[in-house]
Structures are given as structure tokens and as C-alpha cells.
Amino acid sequence: MPEGPEIRRAADSVEKALKNRTIIDISFAFEQLQGYEEILRGSTVTRVDTKGKAMLIRFDNDQVIYSHNQLYGKWYIRNAYTYPKTNRQLRLALHNEKKSALLYSASDIEVLKNGEEEEHPFLSKVGPDLLSEDVTPDDLFARFQEKRFQRRKWTSLLLDQAFIGGIGNYLRSEILFVAGISPFSRPIDCTEEQLYRAAKACIDLMWRSYENKGITNDPALAEELKKKGKKRYEYRHWVFNREDRPCRIDGTEIIKFRAASRRCYYCPTCQKNPAPS
Ligand SMILES: [Zn+2]
């Protein structure tokens, strides 16, 4: 499943194609949405936001197209009325004079009115979006210590979109590694220093992945490994997808296990929690 950084990059490309241009045509595959085609035709896209793994295309007539790609949705940007070769089903097409933004395979598409986000079943519950909202390490440090979160295991907490929007499976393993936190612990088991490192890691890795096309490893190290001829999967991450490989810090074998029914990776020597006294 694409994670926050991938969704934000898709939103950037949709925004680049559509922003400040008039929609000359739009079509929805789902019958219940086709009534909106006439409402949106002739309107102008003002911006494209993300909220966790959801995308919001905002129009100058107070309409908002909400889409959530789940596992399969994929955006394509093409010159106007040009279509990619794909077996996917076209679900939403937005055209202006220059470009077409085409959403394939997604089934979770709605049209909202500006402000209706607050009552929306997903949007009203999703936690802070680290790429589009001004969230500081101090904000997250406080959030980790809230009663509703502090006794939950990190492995389920980090995937919970109500905790932080946009963290998915690879970011979960990478954040815990960079923070030096055992994946079997909870916020309440951590020292203040670990919690602060986790807060910084959430923000830093989300941005690093967004700016470096999914790379969460140290960018200089990734570049060095790439120059040595290593493949993307070999230099992309600290621990994710690296079972039985040596830890990049201390050489310990990386361990893979399942948590919340998804694969999780960690270094047993770098990621330890001192027993709270
Ligand atoms: Zn290690």
C-alpha cells in the first residue's frame, strides 16, 4: 500500500497538472457521482491536499473530491485526452486544456462540500498529516504520552491512521529503528529521550521518504551504496526488507517478524528499551 510520502508525491503531480486551470471535462465511473460532473465542469482547481493516505482536490466552487487509493488506486497524468496503456479500470478523469489527471482502480471516491471533512468517517478521525500540517516534534512527544495511546504497542499504534496519518508498513519499521525503540514496547515503556527521538524520526523519515523517492536510509549512505553498484532494495532502507542482513550500525542480523499481521523488521541490539524503574 502506498504510504503518506507516495500519496503526497501523487498529489504534487495532480496539483501540477490541474492547479489554477479550468476543468473543461470530468467523468466519474460511479453512477452515484455522475450528477457532480455538471457541477464541476467549468470550475477551477485551487489546490490538492493530502490527509494521511487520502487526497483532497479542492475547487473554487467549494466542492472537494475525496479519494483514497487503498491498495490498488493509481493516478496517471497525461497530455489532455491521452490515456495510458493499462488493464486497470478508469474511475475518475479530470481534463483541462493541457492535461488529463486520471485515477484508475480506486473505489473510494466521494464529492464533498468544503467543510464536510469534519463529519467524514475517515477524515474526521485521521491523525495529523506530517507532510501538509505544521506538526513539531514537541506536538508528537505530547501525543505519544496521551492516555489513549501510551499503553498501546508501537507496532499497532504506528499503523493506526488515527494516531498519525500516512505512516504505513515500511515507515513503521524504519521509525522504530531510527528511534532505537524495541518493536515489542509501548510509549509508556520508553524513556523521554526515546520518545523525543521517535517524534523526530516520524517527521524526519516521512519528509526524507517524500523528498528522496521512498528512501529512508541515510541519503549519503544510500548514494554511496548506489555508486558501488547496489540495487535500490539494497540501499533503500535501514532495516525494512533486510532480514538476515547485517545492521548498518553494528552488524547484528536484522530480524523479521509479524506484527498486526504485517511484516516488521528490527535490530535486536540497536533497539532496546531500558526497563522503566
Ligand atoms: Zn543494530
Side-chain angles (χ1 to χ4, degrees), residues 22 69 143 147 154 219 250 269:
T22 301
N69 279 356
R143 194 168 178 81
K147 274 215 164 73
W154 281 108
D250 66 358
T269 49

Side-chain angles (χ1 to χ4, degrees), residues 160-179:
D160 182 351
Q161 298 302 296
F163 179 54
I164 296 172
I167 296 179
N169 210 34
Y170 76 78
L171 282 169
R172 169 177 75 167
S173 291
E174 296 290 285
I175 288 166
L176 289 173
F177 175 79
V178 168

